[in-house]
Amino acid sequence: MQSLLPHLERITGPRWVRHRRAELATYAMDGLPTRESPPAAVVMPGTREEVIAIVRELHRAGVPWVARGAGTGLSGGAVADPAAVMITLTRLNRILSIDPARRRAVVEPGAVNARLSEAALPFGLAYAPDPSSQAACTLGGNVAENAGGPHCLKYGVTANHITELEVVLPDGSTARLGSRGGEAWGPDLVGLFVGSEGMFGIAVEITTRLVPLPRAVRTSLADFGSIRAASEAVSAIIASGIVPAALEMMDQVCVRAVEASIYAAGYPTDAAAVLLVELDGSEEAVVGDGAVVDNLLAQHGARSITSASSPAERARLWQGRKKAFGAMGRLAPDLAVQDAVVPRSALPAVLDAVGAIGRRHELVVSNVFHAGDGNLHPNISFDRRDAQLAARVHQASGEIMEACVAAGGSITGEHGVGSDKRDYMPLIFDAATLDAMCAVRRVFDPLERANPGKVLPIHACREWRAGGVA
Amino acid sequence: MSDAVLTRLRALLGSAGVEREADGLPRATPDSSESFAQVCHVASEEGWRIRLEGQGTWLPADAPAELALSTRALDQVVSVSPADLVATVQAGAPLDEVRRRLADQGMWLALDPPGRPDRSIGSILATATAGPLRYGFGSVRDHVLGCAVVTGDGRIVRAGGRVVKNVAGYDVTKLHVGGFGGFGVITEVHLRLRALPRADVTFTALGPRDRLAAAARAIGAASLSPSALEMFSPALAAEAEWMLAARLTGTDSAVVGEARRLSATGDVTWQQLRADRSAAFWGLTARAALAGPITLRLGVLPDGLEETIDLVGHDLDEGLVSAGGMGGLRWTGTTSVERLRSLRRAMAAREIPMTIERAPWEVRREIGHFGAYREGVGQLVSKLREAFDPKGALQVALEGSG
Ligand SMILES: Cc1cc2nc3c(=O)[nH]c(=O)nc-3n(C[C@H](O)[C@H](O)[C@H](O)COP(=O)(O)OP(=O)(O)OC[C@H]3O[C@@H](n4cnc5c(N)ncnc54)[C@H](O)[C@@H]3O)c2cc1C
């Protein structure tokens, strides 16, 4: 490793290579509180050419590496073990072009999600996927995780908004995937790359779609006396065929945390759960669907419904939701943010089960999530210095995953597998499918040097090598 | 040879699962993913080449092979969950049958691919042939939550899942949607559904091509949200002029409002189709893709439509052209391998991918569905094929001979 550093410094200049213990501590974790490991060194390229040169150098030296954006990931994806070099992409943060007529933007991977929408706003356009971390997370990280957000219910997740990628493969060669228009050029390798969690290479140039801002928007906040009633309202809205722009739920623990914080949004603290429903589109559609939705909410026991159409009032209704994670920092030093998906009709039963698991393990579980997609985030507040408590959190998390899978769901809807969920993969994929994933990974990275140890369980990947089954 | 293959297949599947095609080729029609896997495994071991078939309505069954493998016995709608707007369907199920089943329960698969209404779901996925509804609902892959695939050497891969949001593991489904079967046979799919719209209205306008194209762009710029917006050449529309067609779906009041704005946009005169004619209209325009032996699509952006149509008209025949309001152009007609090669070169120079969706084997073999790839991609694709079909059993011409 020591012999590698001068080579890296020659590429980026010594200022952009970090290797002292204290400097590395910043990079020892991402948003996941349970995994901590400093890399061997951190290198911060400032250009696409430097990325290529660094990857080539690491390939030559046989050193594994981990790409990192803002480090907000919640599955431990951007954490490297002490033998690996971290390649941090935050200096590559330019928005290279915005083409309003074609509704496309071209960005560097370190560009921050929210900056792109801000840049598109003067043209009446936006970048649709809006993770709650959008003020910090990068588009490269979004591509790697196939990130979602509240408005992905109607507009689709990251994968639906990326048309073209330039990637640096783990051997230092480059490939151009997709096309500006969005039609795959050959097999859909953009679709395959999005969500590959930094294991197929580094995206160095990203072309995204931009969507026009809706003509009319209406946001409503409804509060409920029980979580079950709120989740039944969600199922009823989905079954009605209306596709809201967003349909989010927060439970009482979460509402109280927000209302006690500087982000207080005026949510009713005696509610067992609140729903935020946003409708957008043409004026007639918003009014028509709004009446139907209000009716469904009332039928399912909403105690009150507050609606807003002006941007300022809507922002106030959203504020509590957007700041929920920040506010929950008040409850305990650490928050295990879980992520799973269930069929939407199963929401009431699964939320009951999650509540019961929390009570059984005597844990504080709060729910703030993308209800319209069935994408749960049961969050467990804890203190990682308390080993016994951390063990209970781990146990409860596993039980929650099992409950979601038993309901026909998935172990992650947007945060990725990383190192955190790796051991749950066999819950939803059989051996042959895991092996196929290993085979795909080796197509991009035959030497398994890009983000090693993530996503795929260690014992997977044997059968494929051994040959056919049947 | 063919007798030995037939005997072997009968031993695997029983005589009901094996027959002979018109040209004498043994055709296996297994009725489960597992028996598909057995056939692929044996074929791969024996070095037999496999010709993949669905309902046989889209791609001609003409690839040279030792056996044909058809999904037509895999034609069941396995499950439909109205509350979740998700269905699981076997790959050989004909689209019209699936549509009927869903409509009975108030649901809709918002896909209107070119070709006959009884095309198999598997063929629509494998060729990623989306129709005019891509304007409002995206391309084929956007409707697919997961699928089961049998690889060339007989493994069953179950990619994705049955929920609408899912990032567990790599998104292997994407490789198979639009992979033309080169990475395995799709045997079962999980589909994302929508509620059947209460109102579904179609408007058409006739006029000179460039005026209609400008109107289509104006509709996009005004952020109207038709579910389909497609321009048809005179030959395709069977009219004296070009035609622009817009399909509005949703609630009654939303459609009325959108129709009002539509008529105020662009320098064209809209006619509303009679309600009882609109399904037939879209069905006919879809079927037009079968009017010639070759169908191709070009991934062009909306501002390049006119130039691209000119180039296609110059390099190929007039043919039948269908062009999407958000870009994407489909051409059907008769032409030569040489002309297709030269068009593909001209398109590549403009960064426009050209995919052969349908053509006789002599054409596919020469120029492939995709032809040459962009920088760095060729080696990835060939390694992916090796991973999913190590013995090269699947007779699919992705690249052609160059
Ligand atoms: C408060 C909070 C709220 C959140 N809300 C959401 C939400 O609503 N929806 C959601 O989806 N996520 C959410 N997240 C998770 C996280 O923000 C996303 O996963 C985001 O996409 C990560 O971006 P990042 O730049 O921080 O990536 P990092 O955490 O730095 O990296 C994530 C992964 O991407 C890889 N990577 C980074 N850059 C590249 C590149 N250029 N090429 C290839 N691989 C790369 C890394 O190797 C790693 O595996 C939230 C996180 C927090 C802390």
Side-chain angles (χ1 to χ4, degrees):
Chain A
M1 183 57 59
Q2 284 310 316
S3 63
L4 181 69
L5 293 176
H7 291 287
L8 297 178
E9 287 179 345
R10 210 165 306 133
I11 295 168
T12 59
R15 191 175 157 211
W16 303 112
V17 179
R18 310 276 155 88
H19 51 87
R20 278 187 282 277
R21 275 251 314 269
E23 293 173 329
L24 298 178
T26 320
Y27 300 93
M29 288 176 81
D30 60 5
L32 176 76
T34 49
R35 178 141 193 268
E36 188 168 2
S37 160
V42 176
V43 54
M44 304 173 175
T47 64
R48 161 189 175 283
E49 288 68 30
E50 288 180 9
V51 176
I52 296 171
I54 290 166
V55 173
R56 286 199 179 144
E57 183 56 36
L58 294 170
H59 177 64
R60 191 194 57 75
V63 172
W65 49 269
V66 178
R68 182 167 168 121
T72 66
L74 291 169
S75 51
V79 178
D81 72 41
V85 167
M86 184 166 279
I87 305 175
T88 297
L89 298 154
T90 43
R91 288 179 65 213
L92 284 164
N93 61 1
R94 286 178 303 164
I95 293 170
L96 297 172
S97 67
I98 291 199
D99 184 340
R102 292 175 160 184
R103 293 184 182 158
R104 294 289 185 276
V106 182
V107 303
E108 291 184 332
V112 169
N113 175 299
R115 293 291 95 73
L116 178 55
S117 277
E118 283 162 24
L121 188 64
F123 306 102
L125 300 170
Y127 176 68
D130 56 344
S132 306
S133 52
Q134 69 185 140
C137 67
T138 67
L139 282 148
N142 293 169
V143 164
E145 302 289 7
N146 193 8
H151 289 88
C152 293
L153 175 58
K154 177 167 177 180
Y155 291 94
V157 293
T158 303
N160 300 99
H161 295 272
I162 305 299
T163 65
E164 196 175 15
L165 289 172
E166 188 189 15
V167 302
V168 178
L169 299 173
D171 64 1
S173 64
T174 60
R176 242 182 202 281
L177 314 181
S179 71
R180 186 75 33 120
E183 171 76 23
W185 200 311
D188 183 9
L189 298 188
V190 169
L192 192 60
F193 191 93
V194 174
S196 59
E197 302 202 21
M199 298 173 77
F200 290 180
I202 300 183
V204 286
E205 192 184 285
I206 302 167
T207 305
T208 78
R209 295 179 198 279
L210 298 172
V211 299
L213 298 175
R215 278 205 306 277
V217 188
R218 175 182 184 267
T219 309
S220 306
L221 180 82
D223 74 290
F224 291 84
S226 74
I227 293 187
R228 190 163 188 103
S231 47
E232 282 168 357
V234 170
S235 302
I237 292 171
I238 295 303
S240 79
I242 291 172
V243 183
L247 177 45
E248 302 279 309
M249 195 193 297
M250 285 169 71
D251 70 4
Q252 189 171 56
V253 180
C254 211
V255 168
R256 289 192 175 163
V258 167
E259 290 305 317
S261 77
I262 53 165
Y263 310 117
Y267 292 1
T269 50
D270 62 337
V274 300
L275 286 183
L276 266 173
V277 193
E278 187 155 286
L279 298 167
D280 72 9
S282 71
E283 294 78 359
E284 299 85 359
V286 166
V287 170
D289 291 351
V292 176
V293 165
D294 285 356
N295 216 340
L296 288 170
L297 291 169
Q299 266 173 34
H300 287 86
R303 303 186 310 179
S304 69
I305 304 170
T306 316
S307 297
S309 295
S310 81
E313 281 177 70
R314 291 200 301 107
R316 204 176 58 81
L317 289 182
W318 270 107
Q319 150 129 328
R321 167 63 185 90
K322 296 221 159 158
K323 301 293 183 189
F325 285 102
M328 264 157 354
R330 291 171 52 88
L331 298 179
D334 295 299
L335 188 67
V337 179
Q338 273 305 347
D339 170 41
V341 193
V342 297
R344 292 161 294 188
S345 58
L347 272 176
V350 171
L351 286 171
D352 279 351
V354 169
I357 292 167
R359 283 190 298 277
R360 195 163 54 245
H361 293 281
E362 295 172 20
L363 294 167
V364 179
V365 180
S366 53
N367 288 284
V368 44
F369 66 100
H370 314 304
D373 298 308
N375 187 181
L376 304 181
H377 293 322
N379 306 312
I380 311 178
S381 300
F382 72 113
D383 182 342
R384 76 187 125 115
R385 290 163 304 188
D386 180 343
Q388 208 251 327
L389 180 59
R392 271 170 25 229
V393 172
H394 183 75
Q395 178 67 24
S397 297
E399 288 174 23
I400 290 171
M401 286 303 129
E402 277 163 25
C404 293
V405 171
S410 171
I411 57 171
T412 168
E414 54 181 24
H415 296 166
V417 175
S419 55
D420 190 42
K421 297 276 176 69
R422 201 181 56 180
D423 295 341
Y424 301 134
M425 287 284 279
L427 289 179
I428 49 169
F429 295 117
D430 59 19
T433 304
L434 289 172
D435 291 341
M437 289 184 194
C438 295
V440 171
R441 182 231 191 148
R442 279 197 291 268
V443 164
F444 287 87
D445 183 14
L447 302 171
E448 306 186 355
R449 295 227 179 93
N451 214 357
K454 309 290 164 62
V455 179
L456 300 166
I458 299 162
H459 61 267
C461 312
R462 302 237 170 90
E463 208 172 297
W464 202 273
R465 268 178 218 154
V469 279
Chain B
M1 178 64 176
S2 119
D3 287 339
V5 175
L6 196 74
T7 312
R8 189 74 187 275
L9 292 176
R10 290 211 162 121
L12 276 180
L13 303 174
S15 46
V18 190
E19 52 203 17
R20 274 192 196 275
E21 305 227 316
D23 62 0
L25 194 73
R27 179 207 283 148
T29 52
D31 60 3
S32 69
S33 298
E34 288 68 24
S35 41
F36 259 86
Q38 286 176 342
V39 171
C40 287
H41 182 67
V42 167
S44 190
E45 291 288 299
E46 297 289 343
W48 299 337
R49 293 164 303 169
I50 302 171
R51 173 202 294 169
L52 297 178
E53 297 179 16
Q55 291 289 341
T57 73
W58 182 250
L59 212 59
D62 57 358
E66 276 65 58
L67 71 139
L69 180 56
S70 166
T71 59
R72 68 185 65 179
L74 269 181
D75 59 354
Q76 300 300 303
V77 174
V78 179
S79 72
V80 181
S81 326
D84 296 313
L85 296 172
V86 171
T88 297
V89 172
Q90 291 183 329
L95 175 63
D96 51 0
E97 188 55 42
V98 174
R99 266 195 198 131
R100 251 195 306 279
R101 280 285 302 276
L102 296 175
D104 286 346
Q105 302 186 61
M107 278 169 294
W108 188 38
L109 176 62
L111 273 175
D112 57 350
R116 273 172 40 173
D118 55 347
R119 266 189 86 175
S120 73
I121 293 287
S123 93
I124 299 165
L125 261 68
T127 57
T129 37
L133 284 172
R134 70 190 181 288
Y135 192 93
F137 301 103
S139 56
V140 174
R141 68 172 202 177
D142 299 338
H143 301 265
V144 182
L145 303 172
C147 61
V149 171
V150 172
T151 64
D153 59 344
R155 306 158 200 248
I156 304 173
V157 174
R158 296 181 192 279
R162 291 190 86 243
V163 282
V164 296
K165 203 168 167 196
N166 191 357
V167 297
Y170 311 134
D171 198 354
V172 178
T173 309
K174 296 289 196 296
L175 189 60
H176 298 290
V177 176
F180 286 90
F183 309 95
V185 198
I186 301 171
T187 54
E188 192 172 285
V189 307
H190 307 302
L191 296 166
R192 173 200 286 266
L193 309 176
R194 285 173 172 76
L196 204 58
R198 249 165 295 167
D200 185 345
V201 180
T202 297
F203 291 84
T204 61
L206 293 171
R209 184 194 72 186
D210 292 3
R211 191 195 296 165
L212 298 186
R217 280 193 288 270
I219 289 167
S223 297
L224 295 191
S225 45
S227 295
L229 183 64
E230 192 85 9
M231 199 164 76
F232 299 114
S233 66
L236 195 155
E239 295 281 354
E241 291 179 286
W242 284 73
M243 174 187 274
L244 182 62
R247 182 170 176 185
L248 310 178
T249 64
T251 56
D252 293 310
S253 63
V255 166
V256 168
E258 213 53 5
R260 200 183 56 242
R261 279 183 292 272
L262 181 72
S263 41
T265 313
D267 179 20
V268 294
T269 311
W270 292 100
Q271 298 278 341
Q272 184 173 345
L273 275 190
R274 276 206 347 243
D276 58 334
R277 282 215 40 226
S278 109
F281 168 80
W282 292 107
L284 275 178
T285 56
R287 235 175 226 264
L290 300 176
I294 298 173
T295 302
L296 59 85
R297 66 171 179 259
L298 298 169
V300 56
L301 281 152
D303 59 355
L305 276 180
E306 291 97 320
E307 189 204 1
T308 307
I309 294 172
D310 286 340
L311 271 169
V312 171
H314 176 264
D315 281 14
L316 311 180
D317 289 332
E318 192 63 0
L320 305 184
V321 173
S322 165
M326 271 200 233
L329 182 154
R330 176 168 285 123
W331 176 93
T332 292
T334 311
T335 190
S336 69
V337 163
E338 264 332 296
R339 282 164 167 248
L340 288 167
R341 274 211 180 95
S342 111
L343 178 66
R344 190 174 257 158
R345 271 195 301 273
M347 289 297 123
R350 290 168 176 75
E351 306 228 319
I352 297 171
M354 167 169 146
T355 304
I356 304 290
E357 297 185 324
R358 209 180 122 257
W361 175 254
E362 310 90 77
V363 174
R364 279 152 36 222
R365 181 191 61 209
E366 290 300 315
I367 63 167
H369 292 288
F370 300 132
Y373 302 111
R374 300 181 87 184
E375 167 203 327
V377 171
Q379 46 119 5
L380 294 175
V381 177
S382 56
K383 285 198 277 176
L384 284 165
R385 285 200 83 178
E386 232 176 272
F388 283 88
D389 183 20
K391 302 260 173 72
L394 303 169
Q395 187 65 325
V396 177
L398 292 187
E399 296 86 19
S401 61

